[in-house]
Amino acid sequence: MDYSRLEEQREIMDELVEIADRESVDAVVIAGDLFDVFHPSHEAQELFYKTLYRLSKNGQRPVIAIAGNHDSHALIEAPLPLAKELGIILLGANQQEIAPMTNAAGIEISAPENGVVILRYPDGRPPMVLLTAPYANEMLLKIYLGNEEREDELRELLRDKWNQLAQKYFTSDSINVFIGHFFFMKEGGTQEDEPEGERSILHIGGAQAMYTDHLPDGLHYAALGHLHRYQIVDDRRFPVVYSSALLNYSFSEAGQEKYGVIVSLGKETALQPIALERGFKLHRVEFSVLQDALDWLAANQNTYVELTFVTDDSLDAATRKALMTAHERIVHLIPKRRNQEAQDGSRIKAEDLQLDVPSLFEKFYAQQNNGMPPNEELMELLKEVMTKGGEE
């Protein structure tokens, strides 16, 4: 969408900090897509790092964040030498070894090797072992696997690595958490559709998903990033959960609630999803009566809208203007012809290429606009352009 959402992001970040403080959480994990674009603005970066500092309670609460497929690994990893002094661990693909250090609350934080972070508490609570699996981009995967279609080998490679780390670092009393940015599903289950704008997360050979059975035994919880809707993918051995994105970013997510998840870990794992209230929602609506559309728009100003308007003829300029001036965040205004057969008849065929330019344009316009023909103003403009082109 061509709208700045920085202010909404600022509000939702405030809400996250308020929830973390109100619920007295012991640690914060962020499972990737720390930014919504690969090259975020300076304002977005400033907001993110200030929020991390606030989430850390001035260095007293550990924060562990991994890179997602929207993130630049280099950008995420760059501030680690400073961030880790506050107990904020930022991990891209090339996780550094972090020698044991103690934060302001006396919590010892270390990363003895790539793929694991350990938190040891001063009050005798069990240590927390976090297996970390940031998004691995195509270049890194090709280094290990080459260019052939080897998705099964990738799954086995990751499964073996996670099992090796679990066997090495999980203990009888540790609390064990997986943080990963992958497309996970139960093997043989129904594959969840990825949101608009997302790519398959395993790339090599077009692999679509990791399987929950590939996660190691001994985990208490798996925190996932990538899919934008809150969902529990599997809960047979332990909860495998997508907590959701913070905001609705595409109209495929229209109407979705977004959540942060409070997880209580111990002998049993308890989940408390908390709905996020701030930021504008996205709505897909359809109307065929202008006044009904105007009434709905007037009552729903604090939202982004994809509006489909159904009519017998083309969407005239007056109707378009009335709709667009009634609401400042209509992202898409889609005309739709009521007669579906007329839409099907508007498809361009090979023989249509013999038509004159205005007739061919009418066919093309109707094909692109749900069977809606261009209005008179647009056809007059086309003729004017053609005339001026001939004069030159």
Side-chain angles (χ1 to χ4, degrees):
M1 295 191 301
D2 294 329
Y3 291 83
S4 172
R5 306 195 68 183
L6 187 64
E7 187 55 41
E8 292 176 78
Q9 290 165 338
R10 184 172 287 111
E11 291 176 3
I12 205 74
M13 295 295 186
D14 287 343
E15 186 173 8
L16 278 181
V17 174
E18 291 166 14
I19 291 171
D21 290 344
R22 182 183 71 232
E23 300 295 329
S24 300
V25 303
D26 297 309
V28 175
V29 299
I30 307 172
D33 286 348
L34 310 182
F35 298 100
D36 62 339
V37 293
F38 199 72
H39 298 291
S41 66
H42 293 300
E43 293 84 359
Q45 293 183 57
E46 181 180 9
L47 171 60
F48 175 68
Y49 293 123
K50 283 184 175 179
T51 301
L52 287 183
Y53 179 65
R54 294 170 63 200
L55 285 171
S56 78
K57 291 186 67 174
N58 303 327
Q60 299 183 66
R61 177 164 51 209
V63 178
I64 297 90
I66 64 172
N69 61 304
H70 287 185
D71 300 317
S72 161
H73 286 253
L75 178 68
I76 298 306
E77 294 168 343
L80 179 59
L82 290 175
K84 69 180 183 181
E85 299 301 319
L86 292 168
I88 299 170
I89 308 300
L90 302 171
L91 302 175
N94 302 307
Q95 178 179 328
Q96 303 174 24
E97 178 180 341
I98 299 173
M101 54 158 294
T102 303
N103 75 356
I107 301 169
E108 184 185 276
I109 303 170
S110 63
E113 64 178 283
N114 192 312
V116 63
V117 173
I118 301 175
L119 309 179
R120 291 185 171 87
Y121 293 87
D123 57 5
R125 278 181 290 173
M128 183 178 294
V129 179
L130 302 115
L131 301 187
T132 59
Y135 165 78
N137 61 34
E138 292 93 329
M139 186 62 69
L140 290 168
L141 292 177
K142 286 178 181 179
I143 291 173
Y144 290 101
L145 299 177
N147 293 312
E148 298 179 16
E149 297 186 6
R150 299 164 70 178
E151 61 187 70
D152 289 335
E153 184 175 344
L154 174 60
R155 291 189 180 104
E156 297 302 320
L157 183 151
L158 291 172
R159 184 199 64 181
D160 291 346
K161 176 184 177 181
W162 296 334
N163 274 299
Q164 289 167 9
L165 291 174
Q167 292 170 13
K168 186 173 181 179
Y169 293 103
F170 290 180
T171 66
S172 58
D173 66 341
S174 62
I175 300 297
N176 308 314
V177 176
F178 177 87
I179 313 171
H181 197 89
F182 284 90
F183 196 177
F184 268 95
M185 61 180 287
K186 289 182 184 177
E187 187 170 4
T190 301
Q191 184 168 294
E192 176 73 19
D193 288 338
E194 294 179 272
E196 293 172 6
E198 291 291 5
R199 302 178 288 160
S200 300
I201 205 69
L202 287 190
H203 319 306
I204 299 299
Q208 294 296 302
M210 287 295 299
Y211 299 136
T212 54
D213 287 341
H214 289 162
L215 292 169
D217 289 330
L219 284 169
H220 295 86
Y221 182 71
L224 304 182
H226 183 54
L227 297 184
H228 291 191
R229 177 175 64 84
Y230 171 73
Q231 56 197 286
I232 300 174
V233 180
D234 196 347
D235 60 0
R236 291 171 297 170
R237 292 182 294 157
F238 45 83
V240 182
V241 179
Y242 287 98
S243 63
S244 83
L246 298 180
L247 295 170
N248 293 309
Y249 281 103
S250 83
F251 283 98
S252 64
E253 303 169 45
Q256 283 185 13
E257 288 282 358
K258 300 301 183 182
Y259 295 88
V261 181
I262 306 296
V263 186
S264 299
L265 298 168
K267 291 183 178 179
E268 296 184 356
T269 299
L271 306 182
Q272 181 189 356
I274 297 180
L276 302 174
E277 302 294 336
R278 299 178 196 171
F280 294 140
K281 305 301 181 184
L282 274 62
H283 289 283
R284 274 177 164 159
V285 293
E286 182 174 304
F287 295 97
S288 58
V289 178
L290 177 59
Q291 192 57 53
D292 290 346
L294 295 177
D295 290 344
W296 187 92
L297 291 171
N300 294 273
Q301 289 290 302
N302 293 328
T303 185
Y304 293 102
V305 182
E306 180 181 277
L307 192 155
T308 299
F309 195 79
V310 183
T311 180
D312 291 322
D313 300 305
S314 61
L315 186 61
D316 61 83
T319 300
R320 181 181 292 274
K321 181 178 180 181
L323 292 169
M324 295 303 293
T325 56
H327 197 291
E328 64 179 6
R329 281 180 291 275
I330 295 180
V331 180
H332 302 131
L333 176 56
I334 304 170
K336 179 180 178 181
R337 198 169 191 173
R338 185 173 280 108
N339 188 341
Q340 187 65 37
E341 291 181 2
Q343 176 182 338
D344 296 338
S346 69
R347 300 291 179 188
I348 293 177
K349 306 176 182 65
E351 56 266 29
D352 293 329
L353 299 179
Q354 305 301 318
L355 296 172
D356 59 81
V357 172
S359 299
L360 187 59
F361 175 77
E362 287 188 52
K363 298 275 288 184
F364 173 76
Y365 184 92
Q367 178 175 304
Q368 298 299 112
N369 292 277
N370 296 313
M372 186 71 61
N375 57 36
E376 291 183 10
E377 297 98 319
L378 188 56
M379 290 305 297
E380 288 300 322
L381 179 60
L382 173 65
K383 292 174 183 177
E384 182 181 340
V385 170
M386 291 175 61
T387 300
K388 288 184 176 181
E391 291 175 351
E392 293 176 358

